């Protein structure tokens, strides 16, 4: 008799544990408010082309990251800098759904036709630049797509 109620409570508890922490998301977005919010094109030019980097990353990759990272995190990616730490500054484990890494791999495959799931390890990517550079390396490793 109590099993359906117990299942419901367990499901709700699990859902809450795996869903984004909206308080953390709000806190990070508040922290980012002091920075200008760049469009995808502005973000590309400012942070992902020379002289900011040795060689420009492909614009479609930056547009992909800009839009998808926002979708996963709810953060204003136009305010994020390459040096921002995914965990310490942006609180990605808290502000994203628990499976954002899997979703990123699926979206990357859908967009670029490359399966990065064997190589992607979010625990080894410390900054936004680390994440973007990892994605860029995956594209460069595939003939005909790299920058």
């Amino acid at each position: 008799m109590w099993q359906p109620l117990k299942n419901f409570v367990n499901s709700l508890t699990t859902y809450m544990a795996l869903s984004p922490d909206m308080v953390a998301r709000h806190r990070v977005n508040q922290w980012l408010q002091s920075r200008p919010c760049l469009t995808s094109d502005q973000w590309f030019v400012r942070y992902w082309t020379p002289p900011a980097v040795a060689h420009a990353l492909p614009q479609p990759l930056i547009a992909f990251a800009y839009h998808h990272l926002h979708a996963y995190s709810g953060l204003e990616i136009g305010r994020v800098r390459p040096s921002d730490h995914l965990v310490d500054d942006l609180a990605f484990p808290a502000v994203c759904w628990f499976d954002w890494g899997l979703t990123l791999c699926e979206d990357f495959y859908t967009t670029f036709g490359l399966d990065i799931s064997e190589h992607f390890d979010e625990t080894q990517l410390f900054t936004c630049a680390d994440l973007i550079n990892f994605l860029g390396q995956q594209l460069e490793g595939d003939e005909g797509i790299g920058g």
Side-chain angles (χ1 to χ4, degrees):
M1 179 172 150
W2 291 102
Q3 193 59 41
L5 180 59
K6 183 178 178 182
N7 288 344
F8 175 75
V9 170
N10 286 339
S11 295
L12 188 58
T13 303
T14 301
Y15 177 81
M16 294 302 289
L18 301 178
S19 63
D21 180 338
M22 300 312 258
V23 172
R25 184 180 282 182
H26 178 74
R27 181 178 33 79
V28 174
N29 272 322
Q30 284 297 107
W31 175 71
L32 292 170
Q33 281 296 313
S34 65
R35 301 173 179 179
C37 189
L38 306 175
T39 66
S40 177
D41 289 336
Q42 291 169 330
W43 200 60
F44 170 67
V45 170
R46 169 132 351 138
Y47 296 123
W48 308 108
T49 61
V53 293
H55 64 81
L57 291 164
Q59 196 280 335
L61 170 67
I62 301 307
F64 169 88
Y66 184 95
H67 295 291
H68 284 84
L69 295 180
H70 168 73
Y72 308 146
S73 68
L75 301 179
E76 293 183 69
I77 299 303
R79 298 180 192 279
V80 171
R81 296 178 182 151
S83 60
D84 288 338
H85 287 81
L86 296 172
V87 175
D88 295 340
D89 299 324
L90 304 176
F92 252 55
V95 303
C96 296
W97 283 92
F98 80 100
D99 63 348
W100 76 269
L102 294 172
T103 305
L104 172 71
C105 292
E106 291 170 3
D107 291 338
F108 198 84
Y109 180 79
T110 299
T111 303
F112 299 107
L114 294 172
D115 181 2
I116 63 170
S117 61
E118 293 287 322
H119 309 287
F120 182 73
D121 181 358
E122 64 200 60
T123 66
Q124 298 304 305
L125 305 170
F126 302 103
T127 64
C128 180
D130 292 341
L131 174 58
I132 303 293
N133 288 326
F134 166 79
L135 297 174
Q137 290 168 357
Q138 302 311 298
L139 286 179
E140 287 176 4
D142 188 65
E143 293 181 1
I145 295 179

